[in-house]
Amino acid sequence: MSLHVYATKDLAAQALCGFILRVAAQSIASHGRFSLAISGGSLPVLLQGLRDANTDWSKWLVFLSDERVVPLDHADSNYKAIQEAFLSKVPVPASNVFAITPGLGAAHAAADYEARLLAALGQEPAL
């Protein structure tokens, strides 16, 4: 592991997007897909640099790594932030975006999400 320090947020975002695209290309070439787990916060905005990328978006699987148990269109929803800042700007198929199922309550939503992750990725996911 190495630590990279950038002088500006824009330079950090460029480097992050470049890294993601390199790993995506390698993963698509070797596994036929690329899996990306996205948290909320400032990350979705940093990913906007991917919007003009030359990649096979149909091979991308996008997962939310720390969603809140609120409706997907709620102001506190990480899905909403990710959708607005990133996913609405790239052609990842909606069927390849994995959000929690709202309205289930935390325990049931977690179990449902786990089952959907395993169905999408298998028991030993290729990330």
Side-chain angles (χ1 to χ4, degrees), residues 24 30 33 53 58 62 69 76 79 81 89 104 110 125:
S30 62
R33 68 180 182 206
S58 71
V62 178
V69 183
D76 292 335
Y79 173 83
K89 296 169 177 39
L104 296 181

Side-chain angles (χ1 to χ4, degrees), residues 32-114:
R33 68 180 182 206
F34 172 61
S35 302
L36 179 67
I38 303 175
S39 63
S42 61
L43 182 60
V45 174
L46 296 177
L47 298 178
Q48 287 181 347
L50 294 171
R51 67 179 166 245
D52 296 323
N54 182 19
T55 185
D56 185 350
W57 293 106
S58 71
K59 304 291 186 194
W60 284 51
L61 302 177
V62 178
F63 302 91
L64 279 71
S65 62
D66 69 340
E67 182 59 291
R68 296 173 176 105
V69 183
V70 296
L72 297 179
D73 60 354
H74 190 278
D76 292 335
S77 169
N78 285 330
Y79 173 83
K80 180 180 179 185
I82 292 164
Q83 182 66 29
E84 289 176 354
F86 172 59
L87 290 173
S88 65
K89 296 169 177 39
V90 296
V92 173
S95 61
N96 290 8
V97 177
F98 297 83
I100 66 164
T101 303
L104 296 181
H108 288 114
D112 176 70
Y113 198 62
E114 178 184 20

